[in-house]
Amino acid sequence: MIVMAGQVWVSLISLGGVVLGGVLSYLVQHRTQQSAERAEQQRQRIALSETRRAERLALLERFIEVSAEAERCAYTRPSEWEDTDDWYLTTQDVMNRLWVADRLLRIQFPLTVHDAAHAHFLDLNKTVWQGLPDGESVRDYLEDNRSAFLDAVREVMG
């Protein structure tokens, strides 16, 4: 009977060791799984952040490029033009692309950036279609809002 009780204790201790080992193994696997999931989520967040940054840079490049084209249109603005003139047709296309680029900035950037970009767009639009009074420089007229836009972008992208 004592031998049998000893065998029961040995069996119970052995069973307890198996249960304890199983629990520890589960906990280690569970922690490893959580750690791997967190690492994967972090990797996905970084990848998404890099993708969004690349998209934003592409939109900025597009806006700056088209606004430079619009500025060239303002510099070459004839005193009188017709709807069939080459200048008008080219300028209409440029200003339409600038309008789209301005709206895309509103989607991808905080309002501070879009507001600065839109102010620059409005300056360009006025300069291109209405011209400036004699003696006013296109460059000087556009400089303040252009600089404000670039400063706002620098703050957001920094």
Side-chain angles (χ1 to χ4, degrees), residues 21-43:
V23 167
L24 290 174
S25 177
Y26 169 78
L27 290 174
V28 167
Q29 288 176 0
H30 182 70
R31 286 287 203 171
T32 302
Q33 179 69 24
Q34 284 181 331
S35 179
E37 287 172 0
R38 279 193 302 271
E40 177 62 19
Q41 288 172 349
Q42 179 67 14
R43 187 195 64 72

mmCIF file of all heavy atoms in Angstrom, residues 21-43:
data_model
loop_
_atom_site.group_PDB
_atom_site.id
_atom_site.type_symbol
_atom_site.label_atom_id
_atom_site.label_comp_id
_atom_site.label_asym_id
_atom_site.label_seq_id
_atom_site.Cartn_x
_atom_site.Cartn_y
_atom_site.Cartn_z
ATOM 1 N N GLY A 21 5.085 22.255 -17.522
ATOM 2 C CA GLY A 21 5.846 22.433 -18.764
ATOM 3 C C GLY A 21 4.960 22.885 -19.917
ATOM 4 O O GLY A 21 5.333 23.742 -20.713
ATOM 5 N N GLY A 22 3.763 22.307 -19.985
ATOM 6 C CA GLY A 22 2.815 22.702 -21.031
ATOM 7 C C GLY A 22 2.380 24.148 -20.881
ATOM 8 O O GLY A 22 2.295 24.902 -21.865
ATOM 9 N N VAL A 23 2.094 24.551 -19.636
ATOM 10 C CA VAL A 23 1.680 25.932 -19.385
ATOM 11 C C VAL A 23 2.807 26.892 -19.727
ATOM 12 O O VAL A 23 2.595 27.918 -20.394
ATOM 13 C CB VAL A 23 1.211 26.115 -17.918
ATOM 14 C CG1 VAL A 23 1.086 27.581 -17.554
ATOM 15 C CG2 VAL A 23 -0.102 25.385 -17.677
ATOM 16 N N LEU A 24 4.014 26.573 -19.294
ATOM 17 C CA LEU A 24 5.163 27.436 -19.606
ATOM 18 C C LEU A 24 5.404 27.508 -21.119
ATOM 19 O O LEU A 24 5.670 28.576 -21.667
ATOM 20 C CB LEU A 24 6.414 26.956 -18.879
ATOM 21 C CG LEU A 24 6.421 27.153 -17.365
ATOM 22 C CD1 LEU A 24 7.662 26.510 -16.755
ATOM 23 C CD2 LEU A 24 6.340 28.616 -17.004
ATOM 24 N N SER A 25 5.291 26.379 -21.793
ATOM 25 C CA SER A 25 5.467 26.346 -23.246
ATOM 26 C C SER A 25 4.406 27.216 -23.933
ATOM 27 O O SER A 25 4.711 27.989 -24.841
ATOM 28 C CB SER A 25 5.375 24.903 -23.739
ATOM 29 O OG SER A 25 5.470 24.854 -25.136
ATOM 30 N N TYR A 26 3.153 27.113 -23.473
ATOM 31 C CA TYR A 26 2.072 27.925 -24.028
ATOM 32 C C TYR A 26 2.353 29.408 -23.824
ATOM 33 O O TYR A 26 2.189 30.221 -24.741
ATOM 34 C CB TYR A 26 0.734 27.544 -23.387
ATOM 35 C CG TYR A 26 -0.359 28.528 -23.724
ATOM 36 C CD1 TYR A 26 -0.989 28.490 -24.961
ATOM 37 C CD2 TYR A 26 -0.738 29.525 -22.822
ATOM 38 C CE1 TYR A 26 -1.979 29.411 -25.291
ATOM 39 C CE2 TYR A 26 -1.714 30.448 -23.139
ATOM 40 C CZ TYR A 26 -2.334 30.382 -24.366
ATOM 41 O OH TYR A 26 -3.294 31.297 -24.702
ATOM 42 N N LEU A 27 2.762 29.769 -22.611
ATOM 43 C CA LEU A 27 3.032 31.175 -22.311
ATOM 44 C C LEU A 27 4.170 31.722 -23.180
ATOM 45 O O LEU A 27 4.082 32.841 -23.703
ATOM 46 C CB LEU A 27 3.357 31.360 -20.829
ATOM 47 C CG LEU A 27 2.190 31.172 -19.858
ATOM 48 C CD1 LEU A 27 2.674 31.249 -18.415
ATOM 49 C CD2 LEU A 27 1.106 32.200 -20.116
ATOM 50 N N VAL A 28 5.211 30.932 -23.365
ATOM 51 C CA VAL A 28 6.336 31.369 -24.200
ATOM 52 C C VAL A 28 5.880 31.526 -25.644
ATOM 53 O O VAL A 28 6.191 32.529 -26.305
ATOM 54 C CB VAL A 28 7.517 30.377 -24.081
ATOM 55 C CG1 VAL A 28 8.557 30.635 -25.164
ATOM 56 C CG2 VAL A 28 8.142 30.472 -22.701
ATOM 57 N N GLN A 29 5.112 30.566 -26.153
ATOM 58 C CA GLN A 29 4.623 30.655 -27.532
ATOM 59 C C GLN A 29 3.677 31.838 -27.708
ATOM 60 O O GLN A 29 3.728 32.546 -28.719
ATOM 61 C CB GLN A 29 3.924 29.356 -27.931
ATOM 62 C CG GLN A 29 4.866 28.200 -28.140
ATOM 63 C CD GLN A 29 4.119 26.903 -28.453
ATOM 64 O OE1 GLN A 29 2.895 26.876 -28.507
ATOM 65 N NE2 GLN A 29 4.887 25.846 -28.655
ATOM 66 N N HIS A 30 2.827 32.051 -26.699
ATOM 67 C CA HIS A 30 1.878 33.168 -26.763
ATOM 68 C C HIS A 30 2.622 34.507 -26.785
ATOM 69 O O HIS A 30 2.311 35.393 -27.588
ATOM 70 C CB HIS A 30 0.920 33.091 -25.562
ATOM 71 C CG HIS A 30 -0.120 34.156 -25.547
ATOM 72 N ND1 HIS A 30 -1.162 34.182 -26.454
ATOM 73 C CD2 HIS A 30 -0.285 35.249 -24.750
ATOM 74 C CE1 HIS A 30 -1.915 35.241 -26.215
ATOM 75 N NE2 HIS A 30 -1.407 35.900 -25.179
ATOM 76 N N ARG A 31 3.623 34.651 -25.914
ATOM 77 C CA ARG A 31 4.428 35.878 -25.879
ATOM 78 C C ARG A 31 5.181 36.071 -27.187
ATOM 79 O O ARG A 31 5.268 37.182 -27.700
ATOM 80 C CB ARG A 31 5.438 35.837 -24.724
ATOM 81 C CG ARG A 31 4.850 36.041 -23.391
ATOM 82 C CD ARG A 31 4.473 37.493 -23.259
ATOM 83 N NE ARG A 31 4.416 37.818 -21.847
ATOM 84 C CZ ARG A 31 4.282 39.017 -21.408
ATOM 85 N NH1 ARG A 31 4.216 40.012 -22.242
ATOM 86 N NH2 ARG A 31 4.209 39.240 -20.132
ATOM 87 N N THR A 32 5.730 35.019 -27.714
ATOM 88 C CA THR A 32 6.468 35.092 -28.986
ATOM 89 C C THR A 32 5.532 35.510 -30.110
ATOM 90 O O THR A 32 5.884 36.352 -30.936
ATOM 91 C CB THR A 32 7.119 33.728 -29.300
ATOM 92 O OG1 THR A 32 7.978 33.366 -28.221
ATOM 93 C CG2 THR A 32 7.900 33.777 -30.594
ATOM 94 N N GLN A 33 4.325 34.936 -30.123
ATOM 95 C CA GLN A 33 3.333 35.289 -31.142
ATOM 96 C C GLN A 33 2.950 36.766 -31.029
ATOM 97 O O GLN A 33 2.892 37.480 -32.028
ATOM 98 C CB GLN A 33 2.092 34.408 -31.005
ATOM 99 C CG GLN A 33 0.992 34.702 -31.995
ATOM 100 C CD GLN A 33 1.353 34.323 -33.412
ATOM 101 O OE1 GLN A 33 2.210 33.468 -33.632
ATOM 102 N NE2 GLN A 33 0.736 34.964 -34.376
ATOM 103 N N GLN A 34 2.700 37.254 -29.811
ATOM 104 C CA GLN A 34 2.356 38.662 -29.613
ATOM 105 C C GLN A 34 3.489 39.574 -30.055
ATOM 106 O O GLN A 34 3.259 40.602 -30.693
ATOM 107 C CB GLN A 34 2.030 38.930 -28.142
ATOM 108 C CG GLN A 34 0.669 38.450 -27.707
ATOM 109 C CD GLN A 34 0.410 38.763 -26.246
ATOM 110 O OE1 GLN A 34 1.338 38.843 -25.438
ATOM 111 N NE2 GLN A 34 -0.858 38.948 -25.897
ATOM 112 N N SER A 35 4.689 39.191 -29.716
ATOM 113 C CA SER A 35 5.854 39.992 -30.100
ATOM 114 C C SER A 35 5.992 40.043 -31.618
ATOM 115 O O SER A 35 6.257 41.106 -32.192
ATOM 116 C CB SER A 35 7.109 39.402 -29.457
ATOM 117 O OG SER A 35 8.243 40.130 -29.829
ATOM 118 N N ALA A 36 5.790 38.916 -32.271
ATOM 119 C CA ALA A 36 5.874 38.876 -33.733
ATOM 120 C C ALA A 36 4.771 39.724 -34.367
ATOM 121 O O ALA A 36 5.013 40.434 -35.354
ATOM 122 C CB ALA A 36 5.783 37.432 -34.222
ATOM 123 N N GLU A 37 3.563 39.663 -33.791
ATOM 124 C CA GLU A 37 2.454 40.470 -34.314
ATOM 125 C C GLU A 37 2.731 41.959 -34.149
ATOM 126 O O GLU A 37 2.474 42.753 -35.057
ATOM 127 C CB GLU A 37 1.149 40.090 -33.619
ATOM 128 C CG GLU A 37 0.602 38.746 -34.044
ATOM 129 C CD GLU A 37 -0.596 38.295 -33.215
ATOM 130 O OE1 GLU A 37 -1.015 39.039 -32.292
ATOM 131 O OE2 GLU A 37 -1.102 37.200 -33.489
ATOM 132 N N ARG A 38 3.260 42.346 -32.982
ATOM 133 C CA ARG A 38 3.599 43.762 -32.769
ATOM 134 C C ARG A 38 4.683 44.213 -33.740
ATOM 135 O O ARG A 38 4.612 45.315 -34.280
ATOM 136 C CB ARG A 38 4.045 43.987 -31.321
ATOM 137 C CG ARG A 38 2.901 44.117 -30.341
ATOM 138 C CD ARG A 38 3.366 44.661 -28.994
ATOM 139 N NE ARG A 38 4.392 43.838 -28.370
ATOM 140 C CZ ARG A 38 4.165 42.818 -27.562
ATOM 141 N NH1 ARG A 38 2.931 42.480 -27.264
ATOM 142 N NH2 ARG A 38 5.162 42.142 -27.034
ATOM 143 N N ALA A 39 5.680 43.375 -33.950
ATOM 144 C CA ALA A 39 6.752 43.725 -34.889
ATOM 145 C C ALA A 39 6.195 43.873 -36.301
ATOM 146 O O ALA A 39 6.572 44.795 -37.037
ATOM 147 C CB ALA A 39 7.857 42.671 -34.853
ATOM 148 N N GLU A 40 5.276 43.004 -36.696
ATOM 149 C CA GLU A 40 4.669 43.085 -38.027
ATOM 150 C C GLU A 40 3.812 44.342 -38.159
ATOM 151 O O GLU A 40 3.852 45.030 -39.180
ATOM 152 C CB GLU A 40 3.828 41.836 -38.304
ATOM 153 C CG GLU A 40 3.109 41.850 -39.628
ATOM 154 C CD GLU A 40 4.032 41.904 -40.839
ATOM 155 O OE1 GLU A 40 5.223 41.583 -40.732
ATOM 156 O OE2 GLU A 40 3.549 42.308 -41.924
ATOM 157 N N GLN A 41 3.051 44.669 -37.128
ATOM 158 C CA GLN A 41 2.236 45.886 -37.160
ATOM 159 C C GLN A 41 3.128 47.122 -37.249
ATOM 160 O O GLN A 41 2.818 48.059 -37.996
ATOM 161 C CB GLN A 41 1.346 45.968 -35.923
ATOM 162 C CG GLN A 41 0.210 44.974 -35.927
ATOM 163 C CD GLN A 41 -0.551 44.946 -34.612
ATOM 164 O OE1 GLN A 41 -0.118 45.520 -33.612
ATOM 165 N NE2 GLN A 41 -1.694 44.274 -34.595
ATOM 166 N N GLN A 42 4.215 47.130 -36.531
ATOM 167 C CA GLN A 42 5.160 48.253 -36.586
ATOM 168 C C GLN A 42 5.756 48.373 -37.981
ATOM 169 O O GLN A 42 5.868 49.467 -38.524
ATOM 170 C CB GLN A 42 6.269 48.064 -35.531
ATOM 171 C CG GLN A 42 7.299 49.159 -35.524
ATOM 172 C CD GLN A 42 6.754 50.510 -35.068
ATOM 173 O OE1 GLN A 42 5.669 50.619 -34.511
ATOM 174 N NE2 GLN A 42 7.500 51.543 -35.330
ATOM 175 N N ARG A 43 6.127 47.235 -38.565
ATOM 176 C CA ARG A 43 6.682 47.242 -39.917
ATOM 177 C C ARG A 43 5.649 47.787 -40.914
ATOM 178 O O ARG A 43 5.977 48.589 -41.784
ATOM 179 C CB ARG A 43 7.112 45.823 -40.320
ATOM 180 C CG ARG A 43 7.867 45.773 -41.649
ATOM 181 C CD ARG A 43 7.962 44.370 -42.218
ATOM 182 N NE ARG A 43 6.690 43.794 -42.576
ATOM 183 C CZ ARG A 43 5.932 44.155 -43.615
ATOM 184 N NH1 ARG A 43 6.302 45.142 -44.398
ATOM 185 N NH2 ARG A 43 4.797 43.546 -43.882
#
